[in-house]
Each structure stands twice: as C-alpha cells, then as structure tokens.
Amino acid sequence: MRRRLSSVGFAALLMVIPLLAGCGYHFAGSGEALPGGAKTIYVDKFTNKTRFTGLNDQFMRYMKDEIALHDRLQVVDSPSQADLILTGSINSADTLPSSFNSALEPTIYDQTMMISARLKDTRENKIVWQTRGVTGLQHAPVVAQSITTTTPSFLKQNLRGGDYAQMQDIQVADTQTSFYQGALMQQIAQNLYSQMAEGF
C-alpha cells in the first residue's frame, strides 16, 4: 500500500513540474531571466546615500559572495571583462528601538535597509533589469535578557548563552548589532540576486 501511494505521489509530482514551468514559474536562483550567453558580471561599488560611512563597502562583499554562490555568473574585477554590470545605491539604513524594559530602556532594535539596483548588458548596451527598492529587516537584541538562545540566528553565532551572561551590556549590544547587520546585508543580497536572476 505504501509503495502504491509513493508511486502515485511521484507520478503526480512529475505532472506538476511541467505545469509550473509552463506558467512561467522558475526555481529560485536558476538564473533563467538573465541574458542568454552572459557568463561574467562586474559588481560596481554601490552609492552610499546613508550617514553610515563604509556601509556600501561591507555590502559589496555580501553581494559578490551571493552571486558566486549560485555558480551562474563569474564575478570579475573590471567592467571591460564583464558581460553584465550591476550598479546600485544604498538608499536608507536605520536602527530604531522596537522593544523596551520596565524602565523604558531599549532591549531590541530593528535594523532596516533599502537598496536600489540595475543590471546592464554590456553586449547590447542596455538595462535589462532594475529595482527601486529591495528591503530587509532584522531584530537585534542588545541585552542578554532579550536573547533567545534557541533561534537559528543565535545558533549561527560563535558565542553561547553563558558567554553573554558574563558580558557587559555594551559588549552584548556591540556583538549583536554587528551580527545582525551582517545578517541584514546577507538577506538583502539574497533577495536582490533572486529578483535579478528570476526577473521580478
């Protein structure tokens, strides 16, 4: 009986996949919306419109890593070597308190960022994709009491619950703010690549 149900389920899956493809659905990161024959990409330094110096330099690393992760395009060091050129700007970046303790002291901050980008095909000399706003949001706890040690984001860190209990609040705040800023940039880089590669 189990084998029969498994066979039926597998057959149904084989019927659904072509239907999804016919409807224009693509699996994330497949790069089917990228110009055919394009093999190389140059990621230009994004314009930084925020008050935070060096934010665009940090984001560059995450964007290049995300592109390289998918093995669809090779990141090159010069525009002259590139079939595609990705340019953009960091339009906003904010860190605002979102949770407070009984003394009205912030315990969690919301980190947000918005990025615009465009992709140019150098062979055709035209813009083939652009977006006016890819956004991201991360919640950064800044005191040990606000840290949930069982979340996937916490488990990615090198420190553990006992470590934070021994740290001063300013150390906890610095560590968590830095970690979640990186997580925010990674999140936006993933979203930007997905939209660029899938054409939405």
Side-chain angles (χ1 to χ4, degrees):
M1 186 65 178
R2 287 183 179 177
R3 289 181 178 177
R4 187 176 300 172
L5 289 174
S6 298
S7 299
V8 171
F10 183 71
L13 179 62
L14 291 177
M15 294 175 63
V16 168
I17 290 176
L19 291 175
L20 291 175
C23 294
Y25 181 87
H26 306 294
F27 291 103
S30 63
E32 293 186 23
L34 294 170
K39 297 180 180 180
T40 56
I41 184 171
Y42 174 73
V43 182
D44 200 1
K45 186 175 181 179
F46 280 33
T47 303
N48 185 4
K49 296 182 178 180
T50 76
R51 58 188 176 87
F52 301 105
T53 304
L55 205 60
N56 48 347
D57 292 320
Q58 296 178 49
F59 179 72
M60 285 274 289
R61 297 196 301 270
Y62 288 95
M63 193 67 246
K64 289 181 178 180
D65 286 347
E66 183 63 26
I67 294 172
L69 181 66
H70 292 272
D71 292 326
R72 169 60 179 83
L73 296 168
Q74 178 187 356
V75 179
V76 294
D77 297 326
S78 170
S80 62
Q81 301 174 307
D83 299 323
L84 305 171
I85 296 178
L86 179 66
T87 60
S89 63
I90 302 179
N91 300 326
S92 66
D94 293 300
T95 301
L96 300 172
S98 60
S99 183
F100 303 83
N101 61 19
S102 58
L104 297 181
E105 298 168 332
T107 58
I108 297 177
Y109 280 84
D110 283 354
Q111 295 183 340
T112 60
M113 190 179 296
M114 177 183 289
I115 289 180
S116 297
R118 61 173 53 187
L119 187 68
K120 179 181 179 180
D121 188 335
T122 60
R123 301 163 303 168
E124 300 290 335
N125 194 30
K126 67 178 183 179
I127 303 299
V128 293
W129 171 85
Q130 63 180 345
T131 178
R132 297 187 181 276
V134 177
T135 60
L137 167 66
Q138 289 288 332
H139 307 288
V142 293
V143 294
Q145 294 81 2
S146 297
I147 297 174
T148 304
T149 58
T150 57
T151 61
S153 58
F154 177 82
L155 295 174
K156 290 180 182 178
Q157 302 179 47
N158 293 327
L159 298 173
R160 292 294 174 253
D163 299 321
Y164 284 105
Q166 305 299 320
M167 296 168 64
Q168 297 180 358
D169 284 349
I170 187 65
Q171 293 174 310
V172 174
D174 285 347
T175 301
Q176 292 298 288
T177 299
S178 177
F179 172 81
Y180 282 98
Q181 184 182 69
L184 176 61
M185 291 187 182
Q186 184 178 43
Q187 177 190 63
I188 293 177
Q190 290 171 347
N191 291 341
L192 196 155
Y193 178 84
S194 180
Q195 291 188 29
M196 177 180 75
E198 303 308 317
F200 59 83

